[in-house]
Amino acid sequence: MKEKPKSDNPGQATYTIKDWPLGDRPREKLYQNGPGALSDAELLAILIRTGMRGKTALDLAKKLLSEARSLGKIAQMTVKDFQVYDIGPARATAIVAAFELSRRIPMNDGESKLTFRVPQDVADRYMRKFKDLRHEEFWVLLLNSANQLIRDSRVTTGTLNSSLVHPRECFHEAIKEKAASVIFLHNHPSGNSEPSQEDISITKQLVESGKILGIPVHDHIILGSGNFTSFAERGLL
């Protein structure tokens, strides 16, 4: 007869999720009732897959949620961050990939037919994509003559400055795709969407470059935490 794994505590058996009743196991619950029936911890446990000595995958998931305090914080974690919680590189990679895919869903759904009429349309589309980032990213949205999105492109990553965000790189994809106009977009990881003097200076430079190239800059939008600032609405273009 196969013996149970020995526990670190004499006289105490070590149980895994496989020892639980079928109806209590996260994977089986998902099969039977759908993902909506599972708690955040149970869904994370499925991604973690296996536990470690004395702890099930669900125990690790609960600890992670307890210490990180929210799924949003977990979504910001790197592969190395997860290893602090006894989650190895392979399992951590799967979790990071799952959160990244969730952020990309609204970015890739019907992109070619998307029309931006007001700044709120842009914010609604990209807020989720940027909300978990710890660093600044500068993007350009390429539009056709009907203000429909051709595609978007990340120009640079890092704190914005005039040497990093150069008109040559900002308009490169727009020229290649023969875009009729562009919208620039970047995030403030601090959560405050108010433009800095550097943001204003860079935007003026890009607007002037767009005029020379015949590619109008419709807006520059800064995304914060649940808020945004539109340069067009502020009259800063």
Side-chain angles (χ1 to χ4, degrees), residues 87-100:
I87 298 171
R91 291 176 292 172
T93 299
I95 298 170
V96 171
F99 279 112
E100 178 60 22

Side-chain angles (χ1 to χ4, degrees), residues 65-216:
L65 280 166
S66 174
E67 297 190 13
R69 300 194 179 277
S70 73
L71 281 173
K73 295 293 184 183
I74 295 172
Q76 298 178 30
M77 292 172 63
T78 66
V79 170
K80 288 185 178 180
D81 291 335
F82 282 106
Q83 293 179 46
V84 175
Y85 297 90
D86 299 312
I87 298 171
R91 291 176 292 172
T93 299
I95 298 170
V96 171
F99 279 112
E100 178 60 22
L101 281 172
S102 72
R103 285 190 286 267
R104 292 188 185 188
I105 290 170
M107 303 284 291
N108 296 308
D109 183 16
E111 202 168 69
S112 62
K113 297 181 181 178
L114 185 65
T115 302
F116 295 127
R117 296 180 177 84
V118 294
Q120 185 70 56
D121 292 339
V122 179
D124 290 344
R125 179 73 172 180
Y126 289 90
M127 192 78 74
R128 186 178 176 186
K129 165 74 178 177
F130 285 81
K131 73 182 182 68
D132 297 323
L133 295 180
R134 297 178 179 178
H135 57 271
E136 288 190 19
E137 291 192 358
F138 190 87
W139 288 59
V140 57
L141 313 184
L142 312 178
L143 309 179
N144 63 21
S145 58
N147 286 340
Q148 292 178 320
L149 182 66
I150 299 171
R151 70 180 181 87
D152 54 36
S153 176
R154 179 169 53 196
V155 177
T156 188
T157 298
T159 303
L160 264 59
N161 58 61
S162 55
S163 61
L164 194 61
V165 180
H166 191 278
R168 180 177 56 250
E169 283 74 34
C170 291
F171 286 95
H172 174 74
E173 294 299 320
I175 294 170
K176 187 167 71 174
E177 295 285 351
K178 297 181 173 58
S181 59
V182 296
I183 293 174
F184 292 112
L185 178 75
H186 83 277
N187 65 309
H188 280 177
S190 67
N192 182 357
S193 66
E194 283 298 308
S196 67
Q197 282 303 122
E198 188 76 20
D199 293 335
I200 294 171
S201 175
I202 289 170
T203 303
K204 288 180 178 178
Q205 184 182 20
L206 293 176
V207 169
E208 290 304 312
S209 298
K211 289 177 180 177
I212 295 171
L213 294 169
I215 304 175

